[in-house]
Amino acid sequence: MRFMMIVKATTDSEAGNLPSQELIDAMQKYNEELVKAGVLLAADGLQPSSKGIRISYPEPGGKPKVIDGPFTEAKEMIAGYTLIEVKSREEAIEWALRMPDPHGFGQGEIELRQVFEAEDLMENPESLEKEVNLRKQLEEQKKA
């Protein structure tokens, strides 16, 4: 099962303040542990919302609306993520608890969310087969 550790933004991350070398070193060590355990799928930090774009759909069937950042409410923003594949919810929590304070200033907050698998979302066998084939194509593209 896959889980995403969502690192919440802070006023510092939204201001574009870069992490200290000490925090970079701690995160690299943590990511190395994830790799050695064979659970890391992806991990990245995100630029502040001032460089972001939000697309909303204000009316059903209507034209999407494009809004440039920055966006308000830093506590609702995402500053980064780590995607892991583990055997249980408990293992995901254990890994999340081992992550260093993601901002290094005592403001860090991590939200842990399980990722839907295709089988969880699709009851139609044809839709599920299509999704499985798309994911196989993606894996083949990565290898090429």
Side-chain angles (χ1 to χ4, degrees), residues 104-125:
F105 305 109
Q107 298 178 21
E109 184 177 342
I110 302 166
E111 183 175 325
L112 189 60
R113 304 271 301 271
Q114 187 171 352
V115 177
F116 272 114
E117 301 300 338
E119 300 81 19
D120 299 330
L121 291 173
M122 300 176 193
E123 293 179 8
N124 181 317

Side-chain angles (χ1 to χ4, degrees), residues 85-134:
E85 188 164 13
V86 293
K87 292 177 178 67
S88 67
R89 178 180 188 271
E90 291 74 23
E91 184 181 356
I93 293 170
E94 287 174 21
W95 280 112
L97 288 171
R98 291 174 65 181
M99 181 184 276
D101 175 354
H103 297 289
F105 305 109
Q107 298 178 21
E109 184 177 342
I110 302 166
E111 183 175 325
L112 189 60
R113 304 271 301 271
Q114 187 171 352
V115 177
F116 272 114
E117 301 300 338
E119 300 81 19
D120 299 330
L121 291 173
M122 300 176 193
E123 293 179 8
N124 181 317
E126 292 171 6
S127 295
L128 184 55
E129 184 179 353
K130 242 182 180 175
E131 183 66 24
V132 168
N133 287 334
L134 282 172

Side-chain angles (χ1 to χ4, degrees), residues 5 19 33 47-49 81 98-99 110 125 133 135 138 140:
M5 290 183 263
E33 291 172 7
Q47 296 277 341
S49 73
Y81 67 93
R98 291 174 65 181
M99 181 184 276
I110 302 166
N133 287 334
R135 290 177 188 249
L138 179 62
E140 289 170 11

